């Protein structure tokens, strides 16, 4: 299928994520998104900013196919997830890591087990799982908390654990909803460093955030969403 962004600009490079004129309305008549178009390249780090209720979480849900748009299309590596079924859809989902705003950890499992589970369902070998879990928990300063149930961790620790789980499989796409909402400045820097490392390895990262300390410096793109309208993305030329 032809890239929707390429249809707008035939000179455009191949993008990992492409959204064209997305619209989403919730009952009775709340317009969460209004003709939102954006494109993110492989290995690009993109921050979506904006006030509460602007539509940031909705946009991530549509990109990750947790919800479907009322209008418009989302393409992932040139494919429309809405047309994928069965094994093809499951394979596509395994390439996406999601750090949810409400974490969605398994509260009775240990910190290590929460991260390991994401690797086990992807059929990673045991040695790789142990190494990757240890590496991520160390990077996010959760050393010593490996065997504690997720429910016993502080909110900041749970948030870092959710990010570790989302990053575990070196996903092609990582979606993060307010990834530093419960973190202090030092912990936020750990998250940003991990994001930059993942992006350098080819992971496309789209993060919705209020945290100016997270997006306020460095080489990454910042887009603003307000009342469902996204500030023009320079990667997309108007039709």
């Amino acid at each position: 299928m032809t890239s929707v962004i390429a249809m707008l600009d035939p000179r455009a490079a191949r993008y990992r994520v492409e959204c064209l004129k997305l619209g989403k309305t919730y009952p009775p008549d709340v317009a969460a998104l209004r003709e939102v178009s954006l494109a993110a390249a492989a290995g690009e780090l993109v921050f979506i900013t904006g006030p509460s209720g602007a539509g940031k979480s909705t946009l991530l849900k549509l990109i990750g196919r947790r919800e479907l748009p009322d209008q418009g299309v989302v393409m992932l590596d040139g494919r429309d997830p809405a047309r994928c079924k069965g094994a093809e859809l499951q394979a596509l989902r395994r390439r996406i890591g999601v750090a949810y705003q409400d974490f969605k950890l398994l509260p009775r499992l240990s910190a290590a087990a929460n991260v390991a589970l994401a690797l086990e369902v992807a059929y990673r070998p045991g040695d790789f799982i142990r190494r990757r879990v240890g590496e991520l928990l160390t990077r996010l300063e959760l050393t010593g908390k490996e065997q504690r149930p997720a429910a016993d961790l502080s909110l900041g620790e749970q948030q870092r654990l959710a990010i570790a789980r989302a990053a575990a499989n070196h996903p092609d796409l990582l979606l993060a909803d307010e990834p530093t909402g419960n973190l202090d400045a030092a912990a936020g820097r750990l998250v940003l460093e991990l994001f930059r490392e993942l992006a350098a390895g080819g992971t496309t990262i789209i993060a919705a955030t209020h945290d100016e300390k997270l997006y306020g410096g460095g080489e990454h793109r910042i887009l603003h969403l307000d009342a469902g309208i996204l500030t023009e993305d320079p990667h997309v030329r108007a039709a």
Side-chain angles (χ1 to χ4, degrees):
M1 183 178 294
T2 303
S3 159
V4 293
I5 303 301
M7 286 191 282
L8 295 179
D9 185 353
R11 299 168 299 174
R14 184 183 183 192
Y15 293 96
R16 177 156 287 156
V17 178
E18 305 162 297
C19 303
L20 182 65
K21 295 186 177 181
L22 293 182
K24 183 69 176 181
T25 300
Y26 293 111
D29 57 357
V30 179
L33 295 177
R34 307 166 188 261
E35 296 197 343
V36 168
S37 294
L38 67 87
E44 187 171 14
L45 176 54
V46 180
F47 289 105
I48 309 293
T49 69
S52 296
K56 302 188 299 297
S57 295
T58 297
L59 179 56
L60 294 188
K61 289 175 183 177
L62 299 189
I63 294 173
R65 205 176 180 272
R66 291 165 56 205
E67 293 186 9
L68 296 177
D70 297 327
Q71 66 183 55
V73 63
V74 175
M75 303 283 281
L76 302 179
D77 279 346
R79 291 186 295 169
D80 182 353
R83 296 176 179 268
C84 298
K85 297 180 180 179
E88 184 181 13
L89 180 58
Q90 291 303 315
L92 186 63
R93 284 175 171 165
R94 283 196 294 269
R95 295 169 57 194
I96 302 173
V98 182
Y100 300 96
Q101 189 171 5
D102 56 356
F103 313 145
K104 298 192 183 298
L105 299 168
L106 296 175
R108 296 184 180 180
L109 288 186
S110 69
N114 266 277
V115 180
L117 185 61
L119 295 157
E120 290 165 359
V121 298
Y123 306 107
R124 298 287 194 174
D127 287 347
F128 177 86
I129 292 174
R130 286 187 290 273
R131 185 170 64 251
R132 182 64 172 158
V133 170
E135 170 192 329
L136 284 167
L137 295 184
T138 298
R139 285 288 306 274
L140 293 172
E141 294 189 353
L142 291 168
T143 304
K145 307 292 176 70
E146 295 90 344
Q147 301 309 314
R148 290 186 62 182
D152 291 349
L153 301 177
S154 70
L155 286 178
E157 290 166 344
Q158 289 184 41
Q159 184 150 48
R160 281 176 277 151
L161 183 60
I163 293 167
R165 181 187 58 189
N169 274 307
H170 295 94
D172 289 341
L173 171 64
L174 193 153
L175 304 173
D177 196 354
E178 298 292 351
T180 58
N182 296 285
L183 303 183
D184 61 21
R189 285 193 293 273
L190 295 177
V191 171
L192 182 57
E193 289 168 5
L194 178 60
F195 281 178
R196 286 174 173 165
E197 180 181 294
L198 290 167
T203 296
T204 301
I205 302 174
I206 301 178
T209 182
H210 287 95
D211 187 356
E212 189 172 355
K213 296 187 296 296
L214 184 65
Y215 66 79
E219 296 181 1
H220 46 251
R221 193 147 46 103
I222 302 169
L223 304 176
H224 187 74
L225 190 62
D226 196 359
I229 299 173
L230 189 71
T231 299
E232 182 181 2
D233 186 328
H235 285 76
V236 181
R237 190 180 65 185

